Amino acid sequence: MPRALAETVALLLLAATLAFAVVRPRGLPEAVVAVPAALLTVLLGILPIGVALEELRSLGPTIGFLAAVLVLAELCDREGLFEAAGQRMAAGARGRPVVLLGLVFAVGSAITAVLSLDATVVLLTPVVFATALQLRLRPKPHVYACTHLANTASLLLPVSNLTNLLAFRASGLSFTRFAGIMAPPWLAAIGVEWLVLRRFFAVDLVGHGEVVAGPPSRAPRYPVAVLGCTLVGFGLASLVHLDPAVVAALGAGALALPALASRRV
């Protein structure tokens, strides 16, 4: 196939895949189009099979890590970790919108750094929205904070987003060294974002909402312990040249096995 034609066909397949991912007809997963499109590029010779296999070998551990950490985040959500975080924020804010925004920044930054930006977007944002409504506050500043923190707060760790993980593999740095280098820009970006959102949503952050009665429920200890051990494991894994995907899979397994055994999932 001529090079110009091959590139044109590849771009059309990419465009079709992206369009399907946005529209999601009948709620079908993106793989319905993405997998056949990828196979077609190989079958038509647009991408040589040897190059395709090499890409799979190169990206396999990264994709495996992403899958494991998404499972870990989903299981934490089912164990009530995000719900408990919402209750803690509601109780700590005591109806004050600026305080709630600060708590969202703290919780959102931690979740993004440890469980990746996907957990913040998919799992934390609905909790923050519900918390703001519970306190009868305008939810816009707090929801915007979640969506922006999913970007800025993902600077810190190699596991915070997929780009970091690819850069981490190429850099040759240890896990802790990478975190040490990224900590100053991470704090600076979060600080700038706080100032910008605090000013931009100044009108929405006035007034006082309702105070939640009663003490918040305790955070589920086991998921918190698993997350802590997983985070420590990420740091130790780089010292023995163990792939982070293995640590993430172990963390996901530690939550999945008891949940499956008790038929909670």
Side-chain angles (χ1 to χ4, degrees):
M1 182 180 295
R3 182 180 179 86
L5 179 59
E7 291 181 352
T8 301
V9 173
L11 288 172
L12 290 175
L13 291 172
L14 176 60
T17 301
L18 294 176
F20 188 91
V22 172
V23 177
R24 292 287 296 275
R26 299 182 180 180
L28 293 173
E30 295 86 342
V32 170
V33 171
V35 172
L39 293 175
L40 195 58
T41 59
V42 175
L43 292 176
L44 293 176
I46 298 172
L47 183 68
I49 188 169
V51 177
L53 292 175
E54 181 59 33
E55 288 293 332
L56 289 175
R57 283 192 293 267
S58 175
L59 291 176
T62 301
I63 302 303
F65 166 82
L66 181 62
V69 81
L70 288 174
V71 171
L72 184 63
E74 174 65 20
L75 289 170
C76 285
D77 181 51
R78 296 194 183 200
E79 293 287 343
L81 185 61
F82 289 87
E83 181 181 354
Q87 292 177 358
R88 290 294 179 101
M89 288 189 289
R94 299 187 65 82
R96 294 167 293 183
V98 177
V99 175
L100 179 61
L101 184 63
L103 293 172
V104 169
F105 262 75
V107 174
S109 297
I111 288 176
T112 301
V114 177
L115 286 176
S116 85
L117 55 88
D118 302 277
T120 300
V121 172
V122 177
L123 301 174
L124 180 64
T125 302
V127 171
V128 168
F129 183 78
T131 300
L133 292 182
Q134 180 187 8
L135 298 178
R136 296 190 181 279
L137 298 173
R138 296 177 182 177
K140 186 182 291 186
H142 313 94
V143 172
Y144 265 79
C146 286
T147 57
H148 281 271
L149 287 170
N151 283 318
T152 52
S154 68
L155 289 171
L156 182 61
L157 301 178
V159 298
S160 301
N161 70 45
L162 193 58
T163 307
N164 283 15
L165 197 59
L166 293 171
F168 171 67
R169 295 183 191 282
S171 68
L173 297 171
S174 67
F175 187 92
T176 52
R177 178 61 177 157
F178 185 98
I181 291 174
M182 297 305 296
W186 179 69
L187 291 172
I190 293 173
V192 169
E193 195 142 77
W194 165 264
L195 294 174
V196 171
L197 291 183
R198 178 72 176 83
R199 181 177 178 84
F200 187 82
F201 290 110
V203 175
D204 296 288
L205 293 171
V206 297
H208 199 284
E210 293 187 357
V211 178
V212 176
S217 61
R218 289 186 177 182
R221 294 181 179 179
Y222 183 65
V224 172
V226 170
L227 281 181
C229 291
T230 303
L231 185 59
V232 173
F234 286 143
L236 297 177
S238 65
L239 300 178
V240 296
H241 305 290
L242 183 66
D243 198 282
V246 177
V247 179
L250 291 174
L255 286 181
L257 291 177
L260 290 170
S262 62
R263 297 185 177 180
R264 295 196 304 277
V265 296

